[in-house]
């Protein structure tokens, strides 16, 4: 499973809305949606911001 798929699964399992996570991570909703669907590269700095928004360590998705 790819990192973005793990993030998407984690969000689904925890009833988290993409728009809320994107806002807290400082990523536009459009970019966040593209990342979660594998259409945009998930860069390390984006992963760090997403993990901060989710309050988890990046290793969780590695």
């Amino acid at each position: 499973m790819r990192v973005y798929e793990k993030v998407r699964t984690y969000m689904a399992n925890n009833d988290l809305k993409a728009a809320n996570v994107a806002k807290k991570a400082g990523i536009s909703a459009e970019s966040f949606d593209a990342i979660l669907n594998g259409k945009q590269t998930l860069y390390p700095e984006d992963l760090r911001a997403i993990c901060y928004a989710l309050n988890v360590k990046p290793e969780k998705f590695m």
Side-chain angles (χ1 to χ4, degrees), residues 31-58:
S31 290
F32 191 64
D33 184 59
I35 289 169
L36 291 182
N37 289 306
K39 296 178 181 177
Q40 182 173 318
T41 302
L42 175 58
Y43 292 104
E45 58 270 14
D46 294 329
L47 179 59
R48 278 193 295 274
I50 292 166
C51 288
Y52 174 79
L54 295 174
N55 199 31
V56 297
K57 294 186 179 195

Side-chain angles (χ1 to χ4, degrees), residues 1-14 16 21 32 35-36 42 47 50-51 54 56 58 60-61:
M1 188 180 289
R2 296 174 185 257
V3 173
Y4 70 86
E5 293 171 319
K6 291 178 183 179
V7 172
R8 190 173 57 214
T9 300
Y10 178 86
M11 289 174 53
N13 290 343
N14 290 282
L16 300 169
V21 177
F32 191 64
I35 289 169
L36 291 182
L42 175 58
L47 179 59
I50 292 166
C51 288
L54 295 174
V56 297
K60 179 165 191 69
F61 303 119

